[in-house]
């Protein structure tokens, strides 16, 4: 009959046997489980093979009892004294496995708690890490916690924790330039507030000016960054930030007292340029109309009213307009800021398709524009609408307000280098709206192809050099052979250096392409309607139905539209 004493621990102190002689026809495997759980061996790992043997033996005993009953020999001996004791459970030591991530930045330890066997120690974890090649970024506190938790865990419980972490390389940051004064662009975007919360769009307040000696920009030094490492000890090299210098524009200079500051040398309107400032002469005009005449000014313009139909306005600096631009030609060497809108209409002139034209060496921004041809070397931003316009932008085109709830591009042809962002584009009626991403993608792809061809040619030459070297082995030693060997070595080194240089150029061009494609995309916060045509190099797509909160960008050579 089964009892707790039916379990015998082998002299190896690991294997636990069940005495087969104690089994009878009334026994079952559940009884074995229950009895074992009540003994000092309850944390041993139960053997499924052993349980199967117990079940088989009990079945044979029951069969023997049944046969004896049918034969009328109920008192016959049905025990199985010849049966061996059954291995029913074992001590099993805890196990440990170390896994390193593909990028070698994290190593995880998986500990499986023991079944009454030996626990994993901190020393064992350290040895396993060393054996696996994990030598850096080891997290000692995680190892201690893993070992302690493993000792107290249920038998067989698996615990997985990171025990080593690499450190990514931290690239340095380029010199940063901080503007210290307000520009007219901010003033145009913040008209004077009246009582009751209304604003006077034509009253921009005082003209933004700075006086001689005033600091207008501060330079923040570059940072160097530092190397990183993988858990296997490989060094991840960093890139130092680039040291950049001030571009001291018109009427500015680097402060003689502190080279980190740019100061004005004359009184005028501050205009920000890349890595510097200009302090420009300012001309203030009420309205540009037939009474005032066309304007061509060497400096910046502030127009407190409108630029009226048929007028031409040109300035070497910024042009800020408090009112409207209506069917006029406006050219700025700097930025064009329009507090209200830009209104044009289709023209019958073969050279000018629209009656309103804007050209900016910097940015163009305003509230809305319609039937206007515009070109900017920097970004173009409108807060409300861009309707039936012909746009060429070497920065980003953005049509949306600050909460990103309003901003429509409808009709026209938008060319942009750094992406087009809006709230909605197109219309339910399928109004044709075209977006084209401009840049040098095809030229860069051709450059990659040429570089790879050059590398292939260099490899062919190296193969030829190796073939010649093999032939030289049978050539008698002498000055002639020595000269050939030297020339071959020079040619070999030249081709190897050429391959290395080309490979570095390939990496650079691939990074440039990757950066361009990351920016060259159409993003709509709400809807891209059907009928919107998008072009990028040779890839083209026309949307067939409306897409909610989506973006269109190139993936693996094709334009793809997907939800954000």
């Amino acid at each position: 009959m089964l009892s707790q004493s039916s379990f015998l621990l082998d002299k190896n102190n690991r294997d636990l046997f069940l005495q087969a002689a104690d089994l009878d026809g009334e026994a079952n495997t559940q009884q074995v489980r229950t009895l074992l759980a009540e003994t000092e061996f309850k944390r041993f790992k139960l053997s499924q093979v052993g349980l199967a043997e117990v079940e088989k033996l009990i079945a044979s005993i029951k069969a023997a009892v049944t046969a004896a009953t049918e034969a009328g020999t109920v008192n016959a001996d049905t025990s199985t004294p010849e049966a061996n004791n059954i291995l029913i459970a074992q001590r099993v030591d805890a196990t440990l496995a170390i896994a390193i991530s593909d990028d070698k930045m994290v190593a995880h330890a998986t500990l499986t708690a023991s079944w009454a066997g030996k626990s994993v120690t901190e020393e064992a974890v350290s040895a396993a890490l060393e054996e696996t090649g994990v030598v850096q970024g080891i997290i000692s506190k995680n190892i201690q916690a893993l070992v302690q938790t493993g000792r107290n865990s249920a038998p067989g419980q698996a615990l997985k924790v990171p025990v080593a972490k690499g450190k990514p390389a931290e690239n340095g940051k380029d010199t940063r330039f901080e503007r210290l004064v307000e520009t007219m662009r901010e003033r145009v975007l913040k008209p004077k507030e009246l009582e009751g919360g209304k604003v006077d769009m034509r009253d921009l307040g005082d003209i933004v000016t700075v006086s001689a000696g005033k600091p207008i920009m501060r330079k923040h030094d570059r940072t160097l960054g530092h190397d990183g490492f993988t858990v296997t000890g490989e060094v991840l090299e960093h890139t130092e930030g680039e040291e950049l210098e001030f571009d001291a524009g018109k009427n500015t200079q680097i402060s003689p007292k502190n080279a980190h500051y740019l100061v004005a040398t004359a009184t005028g309107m501050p205009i920000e340029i890349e890595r510097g400032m200009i302090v420009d002469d300012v001309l203030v005009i009420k309205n540009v109309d037939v009474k005032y005449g066309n304007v061509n000014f060497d400096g910046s313009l502030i127009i407190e009213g409108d630029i009226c139909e048929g007028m031409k306005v040109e300035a070497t600096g910024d042009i800020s307009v408090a009112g409207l631009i209506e069917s006029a030609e406006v050219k700025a060497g700097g930025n064009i800021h329009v507090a209200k809108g830009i209104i044009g209409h289709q023209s019958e002139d073969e050279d000018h398709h629209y009656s309103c034209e804007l050209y900016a060496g910097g940015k163009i921004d305003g509230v809305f524009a319609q039937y206007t041809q515009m070109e900017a070397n920097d970004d173009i931003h409108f807060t409300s609408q861009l309707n039936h316009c012909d746009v060429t932008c070497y920065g980003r085109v953005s049509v949306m307000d600050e909460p990103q709830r309003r901003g429509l591009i409808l009709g026209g042809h938008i060319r942009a280098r750094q992406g087009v962002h809006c709230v909605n584009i197109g219309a339910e009626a399928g109004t044709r709206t075209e977006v084209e991403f401009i840049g040098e993608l095809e030229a860069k792809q051709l450059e990659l192809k040429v570089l790879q061809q050059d590398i292939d040619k260099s490899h062919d030459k190296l193969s030829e050099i190796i073939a010649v070297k093999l032939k030289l082995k049978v050539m008698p030693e002498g000055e002639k052979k020595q000269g050939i060997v030297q020339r071959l070595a020079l040619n070999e080194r030249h081709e190897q250096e050429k391959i290395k240089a080309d490979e570095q150029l390939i990496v650079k061009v691939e990074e440039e392409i990757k950066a361009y494609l990351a920016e060259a995309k159409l993003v709509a916060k709400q809807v891209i309607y059907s009928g919107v045509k998008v072009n990028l190099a040779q890839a083209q797509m026309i949307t067939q139905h409306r897409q909610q909160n989506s973006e269109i960008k190139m993936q693996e050579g094709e334009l793809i539209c997907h939800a954000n």
Side-chain angles (χ1 to χ4, degrees), residues 40-54:
E40 61 183 298
F41 312 116
K42 60 185 178 182
R43 289 181 65 90
F44 278 50
K45 186 176 184 180
L46 198 60
S47 169
Q48 297 303 316
V49 173
L51 284 175
E53 288 185 28
V54 169

Side-chain angles (χ1 to χ4, degrees), residues 109-122:
T110 300
L111 184 154
T112 304
S114 72
W115 283 266
K118 295 179 181 178
S119 298
V120 170
T121 63
E122 292 180 31

Side-chain angles (χ1 to χ4, degrees), residues 454-464 495 499 503:
D454 287 345
I455 289 174
D456 293 341
K457 289 177 183 177
S458 292
H459 280 299
D460 291 341
K461 290 179 180 178
L462 286 174
S463 298
E464 293 172 2
E495 294 303 328
I499 289 172
E503 286 175 340

Side-chain angles (χ1 to χ4, degrees), residues 193-210:
E193 187 171 343
L194 303 175
E195 293 181 8
K198 295 183 179 181
V199 294
D200 185 350
M201 296 300 296
R202 293 181 183 269
D203 188 351
L204 304 180
D206 296 332
I207 298 172
V208 178
T209 60
V210 294

Side-chain angles (χ1 to χ4, degrees), residues 58-231:
I58 291 172
S60 67
I61 293 172
K62 287 181 178 180
V65 171
T66 300
T69 301
E70 291 175 351
T73 56
V74 179
N75 295 324
D77 185 7
T78 57
S79 64
T80 54
E82 72 283 359
N84 293 323
N85 290 339
I86 299 169
L87 179 62
I88 196 66
Q90 288 180 305
R91 292 185 194 272
V92 178
D93 294 340
T95 61
L96 179 70
I98 305 295
I100 302 173
S101 62
D102 291 340
D103 60 4
K104 300 181 182 180
M105 294 303 287
V106 183
H108 283 92
T110 300
L111 184 154
T112 304
S114 72
W115 283 266
K118 295 179 181 178
S119 298
V120 170
T121 63
E122 292 180 31
E123 292 74 17
V125 177
S126 297
L129 288 173
E130 185 176 351
E131 185 178 345
T132 316
V134 178
V135 296
Q136 204 161 358
I138 294 171
I139 311 171
S140 299
K141 64 178 182 180
N142 283 14
I143 294 175
Q144 293 169 1
L146 176 66
V147 170
Q148 185 61 40
T149 305
R151 291 194 185 104
N152 301 321
S153 295
Q157 182 178 350
L159 306 169
K160 182 179 179 180
V161 297
V163 288
K165 282 189 177 181
K167 184 177 181 180
E170 184 177 321
N171 291 330
K173 295 180 180 179
D174 296 346
T175 303
R176 182 171 62 88
F177 298 90
E178 177 190 3
R179 176 163 49 82
L180 303 177
V181 294
E182 188 180 43
T183 66
M184 201 61 202
R185 181 175 184 270
E186 283 84 31
R187 183 60 57 85
V188 168
L189 298 176
K190 294 188 297 183
K192 185 176 181 180
E193 187 171 343
L194 303 175
E195 293 181 8
K198 295 183 179 181
V199 294
D200 185 350
M201 296 300 296
R202 293 181 183 269
D203 188 351
L204 304 180
D206 296 332
I207 298 172
V208 178
T209 60
V210 294
S211 57
K214 182 177 179 63
I216 53 178
M217 181 169 277
R218 179 184 177 187
K219 182 176 78 170
H220 296 268
D221 290 333
R222 68 167 181 164
T223 59
L224 298 179
H226 54 74
D227 287 342
F229 57 83
T230 66
V231 295

